Amino acid sequence: MKLVSYNIQYGFGGDGRYDLARCAKVVAGADIIALQEVERHWQRTNEDDQPELLSRLLPGYYWVYGPAFDMDVSTPHEGRILNRRRQFGTMILSKLPIVWSRLHTLPLRRTVRPLNTRNAALECMIRTPAGPVRFFSLHLAHIAAEERLEQIDYLLAEHRRASLEGGPWSGLDDEPARNWSNGEPEPENPLAAIWMGDFNMEPDSAEYRRIVGSTPYHRGAAYLDGFVDAAAVTQEPTVDFHTHEKVIDGRLAKRRLDHCLVGGMFADRVRSVSADIGEIASDHFPLRVDIDLETPLAMPRA
């Protein structure tokens, strides 16, 4: 299956032009699409409802949108309130049905300066041919490593108790007349997970090591309840592999801020990882991952 993660910078390209259709064209065709910095009803983007517009531009996909924050921009209209919310968050689109989803609003540190905003991780459970997998589109804090580490610790704790927590509901429906289950079996909440998004961290950072660990004695080690960097377990990308460019202190910095981290059970299934370096539809470059999610996953017995 082909995965793509893309911080679309709410449709503004590296050329300063707002063009949401251009962003949609970049990701079209992938099986699972994780987007960050998608918004609703902002003046800077013509008050557009971007999740709705993207769903029209990519009509062959199921989708879920998760706002990291939500503000009122409702207005009176012909004797009633036109209810609208100004939102900013992440989105997942999938060619396969999204069985269930939930939004994780991440820990936030209040700043004096600069401007800081709430971050979130959107979690979607999808039944792939390999089995059920929890896919995340996440966006971590841009200011400081300390804040990102708090966010990562929260997500790792949620990940490791997923199987014990269960999904949207669990257990035997003892009130069938109320039809809580809607006639469906208990939905899965598997350990298998793939995190994609703008982590605002580089591979030599403390945040990166918090997730994937330090280089072990056995270089190919992968923990069942842990994550590995998709780019580190496939054929090494080019030396110039990066997903973001920015002039810092007068010099052009080429950084790999966007990642795909796969659960340990997928460590040997990554086929390729690449970035569309030079793509100008956003200030980030799309991250593309080809991974075997077609072969059924045989989980080891407890």
Side-chain angles (χ1 to χ4, degrees):
M1 293 180 69
K2 298 186 184 303
L3 317 179
V4 61
S5 179
Y6 197 19
N7 180 331
I8 65 169
Q9 194 183 221
Y10 37 94
F12 278 93
D15 56 1
R17 183 163 62 89
Y18 174 54
D19 189 344
L20 202 60
R22 182 169 57 174
C23 296
K25 186 177 180 180
V26 169
V27 299
D31 296 295
I32 307 287
I33 301 168
L35 301 179
Q36 301 85 46
E37 296 198 10
V38 182
E39 64 187 33
R40 278 180 165 146
H41 307 311
W42 288 69
Q43 293 177 2
R44 64 190 177 195
T45 48
N46 306 324
E47 304 284 349
D48 285 346
D49 184 339
Q50 291 190 339
E52 180 61 31
L53 289 175
L54 287 165
S55 73
R56 294 179 191 175
L57 292 165
L58 299 163
Y61 291 86
Y62 302 89
W63 64 276
V64 175
Y65 175 68
F69 63 81
D70 176 279
M71 306 287 291
D72 180 54
V73 288
S74 303
T75 55
H77 180 71
E78 296 180 353
R80 59 184 292 268
I81 297 298
L82 181 62
N83 189 75
R84 294 199 308 174
R85 312 299 301 177
R86 179 164 61 91
Q87 298 176 331
F88 186 83
T90 59
M91 187 175 184
I92 288 181
L93 301 98
S94 169
K95 288 185 177 180
L96 295 171
I98 297 171
V99 179
W100 59 259
S101 71
R102 62 173 173 165
L103 183 68
H104 302 269
T105 54
L106 302 178
L108 174 71
R109 287 193 177 191
R110 190 173 183 178
T111 56
V112 175
R113 61 177 182 271
L115 177 72
N116 198 12
T117 57
R118 177 75 66 181
N119 298 103
L122 175 63
E123 177 183 9
C124 290
M125 200 284 282
I126 298 171
R127 294 186 181 117
T128 74
V133 180
R134 293 179 296 116
F135 291 88
F136 284 70
S137 176
L138 59 86
H139 190 192
L140 300 187
H142 71 286
I143 293 180
E146 290 80 7
E147 190 171 359
R148 288 190 291 274
L149 286 168
E150 291 174 359
Q151 296 172 344
I152 287 166
D153 286 344
Y154 168 87
L155 289 170
L156 286 173
E158 286 292 307
H159 166 67
R160 286 168 178 150
R161 63 171 170 254
S163 298
L164 294 177
E165 258 188 5
W169 58 268
S170 60
L172 182 66
D173 188 354
D174 58 346
E175 294 183 291
R178 297 182 182 272
N179 197 19
W180 283 105
S181 66
N182 206 41
E184 299 173 357
E186 179 182 330
E188 306 95 327
N189 193 13
L191 181 62
I194 295 177
W195 291 3
M196 296 182 286
D198 177 4
F199 289 74
N200 276 308
M201 68 183 188
E202 296 189 75
D204 59 352
S205 67
E207 308 95 277
Y208 181 89
R209 292 191 297 273
R210 182 69 60 88
I211 303 173
V212 304
S214 300
T215 304
Y217 180 77
H218 296 284
R219 291 188 61 85
Y223 291 101
L224 185 65
D225 66 345
F227 289 90
V228 296
D229 181 356
V233 296
T234 186
Q235 182 177 354
E236 287 296 324
T238 62
V239 175
D240 193 41
F241 180 49
H242 60 282
T243 64
H244 185 264
E245 294 180 357
K246 185 177 182 179
V247 176
I248 301 175
D249 297 330
R251 300 182 64 181
L252 180 64
K254 299 180 178 181
R255 303 179 294 172
R256 181 154 71 94
L257 303 180
D258 305 85
H259 303 271
C260 175
L261 305 178
V262 303
M265 66 285 294
F266 299 125
D268 297 326
R269 290 174 173 245
V270 182
R271 296 166 177 159
S272 67
V273 176
S274 62
D276 295 354
I277 296 174
E279 173 57 60
I280 65 167
S282 171
D283 65 334
H284 284 247
F285 304 139
L287 177 68
R288 299 186 185 276
V289 178
D290 190 352
I291 183 171
D292 176 12
L293 294 178
E294 294 87 12
T295 306
L297 183 66
M299 290 291 288
R301 288 183 174 273

